[in-house]
Amino acid sequence: MASKARNAAYAEEKAEVEVLFAQADNHKNLGRRLLALRSRVEGEARTVREALGPVSSNTQVHQTVIHNVDGILTAIDKMLEPGQDRGREEGIIRAGPARVGLNEYMASLKRIDRTLSQMTASNMRVNQPAISDFNDLLNEGGLKLQELFRAALVENNQPVEPLNYLTKQMPFPSIQQDRASHLAAIEKYISSPKARNAALSQRESPSVRIYSESRSLYLVNSLQSLSIASISTSKRKNTDDPYRQGTSAIGIYASAIEGMFIAEFQNISAIFPRDDWSIVLEVTCRKALAEFAKTLRELNMQVKSNLITDCFLAYEIIEIINNVSHRITAETGEPKLPFGDALKPIRETAKASLPEIIEDQRRRINSLATLPHDGASIPFTSETMTRLQTITNYPKPLSSILASLGDGNWTQSPSAIHSTNSSTSLPSLRSLDVGADGTLLLSHYILDILETHLATLESRARILLKSKAVHGVFLSNTVALIDRMIRSSDLASLLGSNTQAQIKIDAWRKKGNSLYMDSWREPCSALLDTIYTNRGGGPRPQSGTSVSSAEVIKGLSSKDKDAIKEKFKLFNTTFDECVKRHRELAGNMEREVKSGLGREVGNVVEPLYARFWDRYEALDRGRGKYVKYDKGALAGVLAGLE
């Protein structure tokens, strides 16, 4: 039974296994069918995809084209829309800024400009007529703004009286701030590249042209009266007298130019952009500077016709213009205006005056037919010193000119100076610095004038003055006058920096003293004797001891005594003549000359006479026959000469 039960269980399990194997076979068959179906589906899907791909691509292209067409239509609508407002903008432009207001007018121009930019960018043929019309409107609007700019400037162009502002020390008038802002807004538009391109005929900035034309006329008209005054006040009835500093109105003219140019720069800086300041200032001031240059040329002709007396006017003009030019540059911060071109002719004339002044010394002194026979100095010496004192009023321009010539080159002829040294520019700040070098050059020049004056006078005196006493007094008086006029003026400080100045003056003073002392040579030579130490007959003095006059006379031979008597007589005669001549000349001697020459005579004659008297006074025995003066009497006479 147990065996049957086991067989039955086995048979049952076997049947189940067979069922499972049968199901597994069915699943395999199903899997194969599913794989085959999948392959078929994938193939069909691939076929569908390949068929639908071009359709999808074409659909996307069509969508893009449709989008672009919509955009173009929208842009066309927008582009055509400004053209539809042409009538409104045209009405504003035609009416002008005065009627519609500047802000509205410029807003319309900006809208037209923006519309033109859009229409030009579209490059559509349909817009070409509208573009042309809008360009015409833009051009017309720009021209009307230019007229408005000009009209606004004309309102401020009434000429002013510069002297009124200078005397009251008031600043020159400038354009009011609100009007300047108004002009700046207009200028910003009409000088813009777009506005200038709209008016193809205008190569330069119209705002600069309009401003310079308008304001230059204002400057010229305002300064015209000062130009006339400068010429009239510079003309003098007596051209023999030197020009006096400040007589000409050229200083007022230059001050007015300075004030008006600075005021004009303030206008320019308020209206124009920073980059245009320099060119606008230069163009605006050009006509006024041309008129100023014309005035300087007329003054230059006057200076040339009276070079010796009017050269100081040239120096004054150079100093004034240099100072004005540098102050304007410092105030504006812009490059220098062309003052140098205007100043060139008168600067060359001033340069030529330096050697001419020296030559004039020779010419005038050599033309003298006579010199004072009383030894008095001539008026030309005082005139020369007055001229040199006047020169010290112009240290800056003279130092600049002398520096450009070079030390000592002022002795050349004016033509040589002109060919070797010519410049159109203003001197540099360094050349205008009157420091040690400038002062030294000026002192050298003044010393050369004095040297020429004294040397030529001395040479002329040798010819015209036969008396050495008069010659010596004349030269001493001249040197004393020169020295006194130096010490009493700014020449003292100028020449004090030159160590050679006093040395040269002292040398001429010594020469005058020497010439005068030559006239005392005869009485002095009468006091010279010969002592023989190898002759016997007389006592020989011991070293350090003196021999009495009686012992000396005792040792003389009769011939020697007679010779000594003649010497006393000769001395008495010639001494009295010299004293008489000295007293006659003393009335025309300068105070310091009289004392100096009297002292010089005493220093020479008194010791000679004292020695001679000590040796030979016993010859006369107090009778006064030969020995007219004792030592005390002679000393008294000599003291009276001082």
Side-chain angles (χ1 to χ4, degrees), residues 426-441:
L426 286 172
S428 65
L429 287 172
R430 183 177 180 182
S431 70
L432 290 175
D433 179 20
V434 189
D437 292 343
T439 303
L440 192 61
L441 282 175

Side-chain angles (χ1 to χ4, degrees), residues 15-287:
E16 291 178 354
V17 170
E18 290 175 353
V19 171
L20 290 174
F21 276 120
Q23 291 178 348
D25 290 337
N26 289 334
H27 287 153
K28 289 180 181 178
N29 291 333
L30 181 60
R32 282 194 294 272
R33 286 197 299 271
L34 289 173
L35 287 174
L37 181 60
R38 178 182 176 186
S39 297
R40 260 195 327 274
V41 170
E42 288 179 349
E44 292 174 355
R46 188 181 304 111
T47 302
V48 171
R49 191 163 52 249
E50 290 175 356
L52 293 178
V55 175
S56 175
S57 177
N58 289 337
T59 302
Q60 292 177 354
V61 171
H62 291 159
Q63 289 175 343
T64 303
V65 170
I66 292 170
H67 178 73
N68 290 342
V69 169
D70 291 339
I72 290 171
L73 292 174
T74 303
I76 290 173
D77 291 339
K78 289 182 178 179
M79 292 175 188
L80 294 176
E81 183 181 354
Q84 298 170 0
D85 295 334
R86 183 173 54 189
R88 180 170 67 90
E89 305 297 356
E90 183 177 1
I92 295 174
I93 299 303
R94 302 284 188 224
R99 292 184 59 185
V100 301
L102 180 62
N103 292 336
E104 178 60 26
Y105 195 81
M106 295 188 68
S108 176
L109 288 173
K110 290 178 181 178
R111 290 194 298 271
I112 292 174
D113 183 60
R114 186 168 57 251
T115 299
L116 270 174
S117 299
Q118 294 173 354
M119 296 176 75
T120 304
S122 69
N123 201 23
M124 294 178 64
R125 187 177 301 173
V126 70
N127 282 334
Q128 293 308 312
I131 290 175
S132 178
D133 291 342
F134 277 124
N135 272 324
D136 291 342
L137 285 177
L138 200 62
N139 188 19
E140 182 180 351
L143 291 175
K144 287 191 175 182
L145 281 180
Q146 291 181 28
E147 290 303 318
L148 180 64
F149 189 73
R150 188 188 304 275
L153 288 172
V154 168
E155 293 178 8
N156 290 273
N157 273 9
Q158 292 299 320
V160 298
E161 180 52 57
L163 197 57
N164 180 50
Y165 292 91
L166 292 174
T167 53
K168 295 180 180 179
Q169 297 183 344
M170 297 188 302
F172 281 84
S174 57
I175 298 175
Q176 295 178 357
Q177 186 174 359
D178 56 343
R179 186 174 292 275
S181 302
H182 178 81
L183 290 169
I186 300 175
E187 190 282 330
K188 185 177 182 181
Y189 176 79
I190 62 178
S191 64
S192 64
K194 292 180 180 179
R196 292 171 65 178
N197 290 336
L200 298 178
S201 61
Q202 297 180 355
R203 299 297 180 187
E204 62 180 4
S205 171
S207 59
V208 174
R209 175 177 53 81
I210 294 170
Y211 185 91
S212 62
E213 289 175 354
S214 178
R215 298 298 292 179
S216 62
L217 190 62
Y218 157 76
L219 292 174
V220 170
N221 291 339
S222 297
L223 294 168
Q224 186 176 11
S225 61
L226 290 180
S227 172
I228 298 171
S230 296
I231 296 172
S232 62
T233 55
S234 298
K235 293 179 180 178
R236 296 176 294 115
K237 293 181 180 179
N238 186 5
T239 56
D240 293 334
D241 294 335
Y243 168 81
R244 288 187 295 108
Q245 189 175 24
T247 303
S248 172
I250 189 66
I252 299 174
Y253 189 9
S255 297
I257 285 178
E258 177 185 354
M260 296 192 75
F261 281 13
I262 290 175
E264 207 57 44
F265 177 76
Q266 293 171 353
N267 296 335
I268 291 169
S269 59
I271 296 172
F272 291 89
R274 177 66 182 86
D275 293 342
D276 292 343
W277 290 358
S278 180
I279 183 63
V280 178
L281 181 64
E282 193 275 327
V283 174
T284 303
C285 299
R286 188 178 295 164
K287 287 186 178 179

